[in-house]
Amino acid sequence: MNRKRRVGIGGIATESCTFSPLNTTIDDFTIWRGDGMQEIYPYLPAWIWRDRDDIAFIPCLKAWATPGGQVTSDAYAEMKAELLERIEAALPLDGFFLDIHGAMSVLGLDDAEGDLATAIRALVGPDCVISAGMDLHGNITEQLVSQVDVFTCYRHAPHIDALETKERAVAHLVHLLDTGIRPHRAFVRIPVMLPGERTSTVVEPGRSVYGRLAESDGVAGVIDPSLWVGYVWADQPRTNAAVVVTGTDVVAISREAERIARRYWDARHDFSFEVPTGDPDWAIDEALKLDQTAVFISDAGDNITAGGAGDSPFMISRLLTRKEFTSGARTAIVAAIPNTEAVRVCIEAGVGSEVTVSIGGMLDPVNGVPLDLRGTVSAIQRDDPEGGDTAVVRCGGIRVAVTSRRKVFFHRSDFEAVGLDVDAHHLTVVKVGYLFPDQRAMASAAFMALSPGAVNLDIPSLPYHRVQRPIYPLDPRTPDPDLAPMCFAPIGG
Ligand SMILES: [Zn+2]
């Protein structure tokens, strides 16, 4: 019997907004090492124990952080060094599953994932098959494509297929190891930069553009067709949409890559927001007109899931200008705004106490100004694994959840844990862009507020200097591009 083949697993994943002054540090990352990584790869034990006793998976290191500002060079250097050290200890490797997001920005680096993949390739050598499983909001470069054998990325936004995608990346890797195939990659840069909020796959044209990737799945010579919307809040040359089709038949993968890129380019004017979207005061007006409870408003300019700091108090200040809310005739939840000091003050004062706390503009002083919030502490929750401690401050009809660490209230249980029932209040303001599945289920209606912030959805208004021009929509008249792919020959012998 042949020796067991050895497959390493690892990566560093986050999404970083270069317009946010809030750097992502080593403390913001959760790091899993060695066997401790099994909890994040629930599908792998099945491969290891049931199906494939001829492959040994060697978990090395996986780091993940909530989207935020750029990663400090120290944090990246530390994680990269440990990952490489663990890979070196695992050598020789026949394969490597590179588990990355694709939109990590590191201070001083234009292409962090390309840098990481290059360092891993140098260590594992040309004979090792590397498979990358990514987020469709990642940004792709020639350097990254030159180092990785096979790519796949999510086909749904919101990412209901996250785990399925990672499993597909591992399946591609095992397929290449079983067959001995080293594939070609056809790469197309598409000069379009649209935010995830305009390219949701829940509505058209995103639904069809992504749905039609399945047509390329069955084509002979194609292993994987992938389309990246990209990540727009990074002022870097790599910021754009992209296609990579991996396969064995250069003609087939080139044709499919160009077809997919053409569909995306042709649809560029049709992408729109999936819910009514506009000025924050307009969104509040429209929500109130409905005269119903559980109406959600996304505070999209400060969307934590896109890298916003989450501590802009802008929406609270708009609600406070309205008598119907200050009087309590109408009620609203704002969840949540991170501020360690404010939470400490609330905990010290206790439930039922009157407090005045300053919130906002601490993490991101560029995009938010501090606001004094005067009210009653109505709930306290301690030691949430993600948000830390939480206090709810009631200010007339407005209930503001303040967390000691950045946390998105994705689930009903997040609200219930601090005594908030979205069905009992007219409005619920959340720090996201598009609503996530549980939020959609809770919402009786939804609006998106084009609020100011580091992840402002008015893309042409952002101060880009380094993206490749022309690009739509910064240059509305971007000429019809040449979408013929750049083809990369198989890596190795
Ligand atoms: Zn994403």
Side-chain angles (χ1 to χ4, degrees):
M1 187 185 153
N2 292 336
R3 72 170 178 89
K4 262 195 183 191
R5 281 165 299 175
R6 299 167 61 80
V7 174
I9 307 171
I12 307 173
T14 189
E15 189 176 74
S16 329
C17 170
T18 66
F19 300 113
S20 168
L22 176 69
N23 289 336
T24 299
T25 71
I26 195 76
D27 295 335
D28 295 313
F29 279 90
T30 305
I31 300 178
W32 295 267
R33 297 170 169 90
D35 288 339
M37 286 164 68
Q38 287 209 5
E39 67 174 20
I40 52 173
Y41 299 111
Y43 51 93
L44 284 179
W47 285 97
I48 296 164
W49 298 330
R50 193 178 63 229
D51 298 323
R52 303 303 304 245
D53 54 9
D54 59 334
I55 296 180
F57 285 94
I58 304 151
C60 298
L61 178 144
K62 169 73 191 282
W64 177 88
T66 299
Q70 297 193 73
V71 177
T72 62
S73 35
D74 285 356
Y76 175 65
E78 185 179 330
M79 292 183 289
K80 177 183 169 187
E82 187 181 346
L83 173 57
L84 294 177
E85 208 172 279
R86 287 174 174 271
I87 293 172
E88 192 163 20
L91 295 176
L93 290 175
D94 304 280
F96 191 82
F97 168 38
L98 180 62
D99 187 6
I100 51 178
H101 176 287
M104 170 169 66
S105 292
V106 174
L107 286 162
L109 277 184
D110 270 342
D111 179 16
E113 283 81 4
D115 176 79
L116 187 65
T118 304
I120 292 172
R121 173 61 75 192
L123 203 55
V124 298
D127 294 337
C128 175
V129 177
I130 299 181
S131 173
M134 300 177 62
D135 189 305
L136 62 83
H137 299 124
N139 290 331
I140 307 295
T141 60
E142 285 176 47
Q143 186 180 354
L144 182 63
V145 182
S146 72
Q147 302 298 320
V148 173
D149 292 87
V150 56
F151 288 86
T152 197
C153 73
Y154 302 159
R155 294 185 182 185
H156 293 271
H159 308 316
I160 52 173
D161 61 333
L163 209 55
E164 183 187 319
T165 302
K166 304 294 180 187
E167 187 169 358
R168 188 166 62 242
V170 175
H172 287 333
L173 177 55
V174 170
H175 167 69
L176 295 181
L177 291 175
D178 283 348
T179 56
I181 290 169
R182 299 302 291 273
H184 298 260
R185 288 89 66 218
F187 166 54
V188 186
R189 171 186 176 271
I190 313 171
V192 172
M193 42 190 289
L194 291 172
E197 278 57 41
R198 275 189 184 273
T199 46
S200 161
T201 61
V202 175
V203 291
E204 293 299 345
R207 190 204 307 256
S208 296
V209 169
Y210 270 90
R212 291 186 67 184
L213 288 174
E215 292 172 17
S216 305
D217 280 330
V219 172
V222 170
I223 294 171
D224 188 283
S226 285
L227 167 66
W228 286 262
V229 163
Y231 177 76
V232 295
W233 294 286
D235 187 16
Q236 294 170 337
R238 67 176 185 169
T239 299
N240 46 246
V243 174
V244 177
V245 178
T246 307
T248 52
D249 181 333
V250 179
V251 175
I253 63 170
S254 302
R255 188 187 58 228
E256 296 305 312
E258 187 162 351
R259 245 180 215 167
I260 295 163
R262 177 63 56 191
R263 270 184 224 132
Y264 191 76
W265 170 259
D266 287 347
R268 69 194 181 284
H269 296 297
D270 303 330
F271 288 101
S272 191
F273 300 110
E274 77 180 83
V275 300
T277 299
D279 174 81
D281 289 310
W282 170 88
I284 296 169
D285 285 338
E286 292 300 303
L288 287 176
K289 273 187 210 162
L290 293 175
D291 198 21
Q292 64 197 43
T293 61
V295 179
F296 274 58
I297 297 182
S298 299
D299 181 359
D302 198 29
N303 171 8
I304 291 178
T305 70
D311 82 330
S312 160
F314 183 81
M315 292 302 289
I316 303 169
S317 62
R318 297 319 299 158
L319 292 171
L320 284 170
T321 62
R322 294 175 183 247
K323 219 178 225 148
E324 60 262 61
F325 285 108
T326 51
S327 69
R330 301 289 193 118
T331 62
I333 294 169
V334 178
I337 187 155
N339 193 298
T340 312
E341 175 59 16
V343 174
R344 193 192 62 73
V345 170
C346 292
I347 290 173
E348 210 158 86
V351 172
S353 304
E354 298 290 318
V355 290
T356 300
V357 288
S358 174
I359 54 167
M362 294 283 292
L363 300 178
D364 181 353
V366 175
N367 293 292
V369 286
L371 172 79
D372 280 341
L373 190 67
R374 218 164 282 133
T376 311
V377 179
S378 67
I380 283 169
Q381 179 209 12
R382 304 297 298 262
D383 300 326
D384 176 75
E386 206 185 336
D389 298 333
T390 306
V392 177
V393 179
R394 181 181 170 171
C395 207
I398 307 166
R399 287 158 178 81
V400 180
V402 190
T403 50
S404 55
R405 291 196 297 266
R406 296 162 74 234
K407 172 181 164 139
V408 177
F409 278 43
F410 287 116
H411 311 293
R412 191 178 285 277
S413 55
D414 294 323
F415 293 91
E416 286 175 349
V418 286
L420 296 172
D421 175 6
V422 298
D423 294 328
H425 299 280
H426 298 97
L427 303 193
T428 294
V429 177
V430 278
K431 295 278 186 184
V432 297
Y434 53 57
L435 294 185
F436 284 72
D438 282 5
Q439 294 170 330
R440 291 174 70 90
M442 280 185 272
S444 66
F447 296 90
M448 190 147 56
L450 295 176
S451 47
V455 291
N456 188 333
L457 281 168
D458 183 7
I459 302 306
S461 77
L462 291 168
Y464 292 100
H465 302 289
R466 308 195 53 240
V467 298
Q468 296 183 54
R469 309 293 286 262
I471 191 162
Y472 179 83
L474 301 194
D475 306 300
R477 283 170 222 262
T478 300
D480 201 46
D482 178 6
L483 297 172
M486 181 185 293
C487 284
F488 290 75
I491 299 165

